[in-house]
DNA sequence: GGACCTCGTTGACATTTATCAACACAAATC
DNA sequence: GATTTGTGTTGATAAATGTCAACGAGGTCC
């Protein structure tokens, strides 16, 4: 019943997978943002190659020693934290251009699991080398700080969601967030495939899977979206957005 | 009814407040952790002085341009995020040695408010200068990354709390977290003064103030703690900890 | 020293979400 | 093609938390 049913071996670096930031169409979303051609070449040399992961495989697990951060080249990941007493919280879903693994810097050990939700590719960025290079390239250093800060801000958004929103508001916010991120990557903002189960959505949103399912059905009944298993089509984005704004505005 | 009733002017740098990391008894908790004497002296020169804040005053507000991060020298802060539609989420409470303001790096604008919950003092650390110095001092750079990463890990803990815990578990986790942090600063882990209201605790924990109040009363009835308004004495720390571990362990 | 305030507590009741259970659907496997 | 397994949906009911309201305690301002 738990996610760790598929305890696959962590695959080694895929030798054939050549990566180069300068050739990558994600460079405007990813770590090399704002670098000159020359500096991007220096970053290329540092990137420890790519790694392919089959669906269900772990990129890293809580407890693994921290050595690298990862940039998602393609595919889809989830990160989750498990406690000894069996609580399980999905802390995020990551797609192309997003950075994984920064939780590990503080203790030199990963504190969460990262699992591929579909066949995926990542770039491996050795962190010590990245720090060395970033002390020479100011814009790289600054952008790394921005990426970490962005993660903090994103986390605050999740706290807001978990702390103040009701079930349907959470799901609306979740769908709109996915929509916006797909859109930023050139995909349809209105129609997409969910890579995660209702249970994983529920864990992320602090809800049980039944509540997630009911909220989907309700949205469909009201003509906001069309759901067929994992295929989602958002019929009325503006009206979905209004679900996030309580009618009275709650001002005062 | 809202926190921004006290909209005080942001005070300027307090000229008389001399700060020096090398003299500070918080240096093992704070940014200069692990620096040599010489390097600490260089960090001292960078610190833009101290700032005193009266209770209720804002250290910064959402929308303010980002220029510095802040280290709490003394006192107690809360940070919160407000949305246009009136939602208000407390994202953290900060005490001596903790760093504030890293949310602002990503957009060059602060994304939350930081308010002093009692008369407080902070060190102002201009961020551009900090980046310049950290590219020269590797251990400073690395420690900055650790501090940011620690914030990400802390945020994950809050997500876990908000996503998986029930009201009493949240409050127990909150009290134990405060206890541990006071303890790390040489104060009693068992007896302390809450600087925040029930409403602020509730906002942080995703609960209404009445629920927080009832949970306090219940803990007192069960002999776990003793509450008198904001004064808390934890009578039975081990038993409070067991509240966080569901009896069956939820394994499997 | 009294008259506000804000803050905290408690009770009765409403609402939301979880729990338990049954069943439907789809993909993967034999 | 049938079977299994994971996944998703829906209903009935229970449990947790929120809402509304009253009141009490402490601090602050005249």
């Amino acid at each position: 019943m738990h996610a760790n049913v598929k305890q696959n071996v962590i695959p080694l670096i895929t030798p054939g997978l050549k990566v180069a930031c300068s050739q990558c169409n994600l460079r405007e979303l990813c770590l090399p943002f704002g670098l000159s051609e020359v500096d991007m070449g220096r970053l290329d040399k540092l990137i420890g190659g790519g790694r392919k992961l089959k669906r269900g495989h772990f990129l890293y697990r809580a407890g693994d020693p921290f050595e690298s951060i990862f940039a998602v080249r393609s595919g889809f990941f989830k990160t989750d934290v498990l406690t000894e007493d069996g609580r399980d919280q999905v802390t995020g879903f990551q797609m192309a251009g997003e950075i994984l693994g920064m939780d590990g810097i503080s203790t030199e050990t990963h504190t969460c699991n990262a699992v591929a939700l579909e066949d995926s590719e990542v770039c491996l960025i050795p962190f010590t080398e990245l720090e060395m290079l970033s002390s020479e390239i100011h814009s790289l250093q600054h952008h790394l700080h921005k990426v970490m800060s962005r993660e903090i801000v994103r986390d605050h958004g999740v706290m807001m969601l978990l702390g103040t929103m009701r079930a349907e508001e959470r799901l609306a916010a979740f769908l709109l967030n996915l929509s916006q991120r797909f859109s930023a990557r050139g995909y349809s903002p209105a129609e997409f495939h969910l890579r995660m189960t209702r249970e994983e959505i529920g864990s992320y949103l602090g809800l049980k899977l039944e509540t997630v399912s009911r909220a989907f059905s309700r949205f469909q009944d009201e003509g906001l979206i069309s759901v067929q298993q994992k295929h989602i089509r958002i019929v009325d984005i503006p009206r979905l957005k209004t679900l996030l704004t309580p009618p009275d505005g709650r001002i005062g």
Side-chain angles (χ1 to χ4, degrees), chain A:
Chain A
M1 191 60 70
H2 266 157
N4 55 0
V5 169
K6 297 171 184 170
Q7 295 206 346
N8 301 304
V9 177
I10 300 173
L12 300 172
I13 294 171
T14 310
L17 191 58
K18 202 79 197 123
V19 293
C21 295
S22 43
Q23 303 303 315
C24 181
N25 57 8
L26 295 166
R27 61 182 182 277
E28 292 304 308
L29 283 169
C30 191
L31 203 58
F33 175 82
L35 294 193
S36 70
E37 281 290 311
V38 175
D39 288 340
M40 213 177 292
R42 298 175 74 188
L43 182 58
D44 278 345
K45 285 211 208 79
L46 179 156
I47 305 264
R51 184 185 283 179
K52 289 194 181 199
L53 287 109
K54 286 274 175 205
R55 175 176 160 199
H57 286 242
F58 284 78
L59 176 58
Y60 54 82
R61 292 164 191 261
D64 286 353
F66 170 76
E67 279 155 14
S68 300
I69 58 176
F70 304 91
V72 181
R73 271 175 75 78
S74 67
F76 209 93
F77 288 83
K78 74 165 179 184
T79 47
D80 64 351
V81 187
L82 295 232
T83 58
E84 328 76 61
D85 53 299
R87 292 179 207 278
D88 183 356
Q89 174 71 28
V90 170
T91 54
F93 298 106
Q94 295 80 18
M95 56 177 82
E98 295 176 341
I99 305 292
L100 275 160
M102 295 177 294
D103 59 283
I105 302 167
S106 67
T107 57
E108 323 254 334
T109 298
H110 286 289
T111 59
C112 60
N113 303 300
V115 186
L117 296 182
E118 62 182 11
D119 294 359
S120 301
E121 294 173 26
V122 299
C123 300
L124 197 151
I125 307 166
F127 194 70
T128 303
E129 281 96 325
L130 179 62
E131 283 187 332
M132 281 163 45
L133 189 62
S134 76
S135 56
E136 293 175 28
I137 305 174
H138 174 259
S139 60
L140 178 62
Q141 179 197 42
H142 189 57
H143 194 245
L144 173 61
H145 294 158
K146 285 195 169 191
V147 168
M148 295 187 73
S149 171
R150 192 189 303 159
E151 178 69 16
I152 292 169
V153 173
R154 187 194 72 84
D155 292 347
H156 289 174
V158 177
M159 285 184 213
M160 169 72 71
L161 181 145
L162 292 170
T164 74
M165 292 187 188
R166 312 223 256 91
E168 293 189 6
E169 294 171 333
R170 295 184 200 188
L171 188 65
F174 173 70
L175 291 174
L176 289 167
N177 175 267
L178 282 183
S179 167
Q180 179 268 311
R181 285 155 72 201
F182 281 124
S183 178
R185 283 159 184 77
Y187 300 106
S188 167
E191 202 158 358
F192 46 83
H193 190 81
L194 297 174
R195 275 74 173 181
M196 68 295 280
T197 66
R198 301 291 191 262
E199 186 171 21
E200 287 163 336
I201 297 171
S203 171
Y204 181 62
L205 300 179
L207 301 169
K208 293 295 162 187
L209 66 93
E210 294 94 331
T211 306
V212 173
S213 180
R214 278 185 241 272
F216 270 125
S217 300
R218 200 136 194 284
F219 285 175
Q220 179 160 251
D221 292 349
E222 290 177 1
L224 288 165
I225 66 175
S226 139
V227 192
Q228 256 173 326
Q229 306 288 119
K230 290 194 159 75
H231 183 86
I232 301 286
R233 193 163 58 84
I234 308 184
V235 176
D236 193 340
I237 292 187
R239 202 144 64 84
L240 200 57
K241 281 183 181 161
T242 65
L243 288 191
L244 295 182
T245 313
D248 60 31
R250 279 193 211 162
I251 308 290

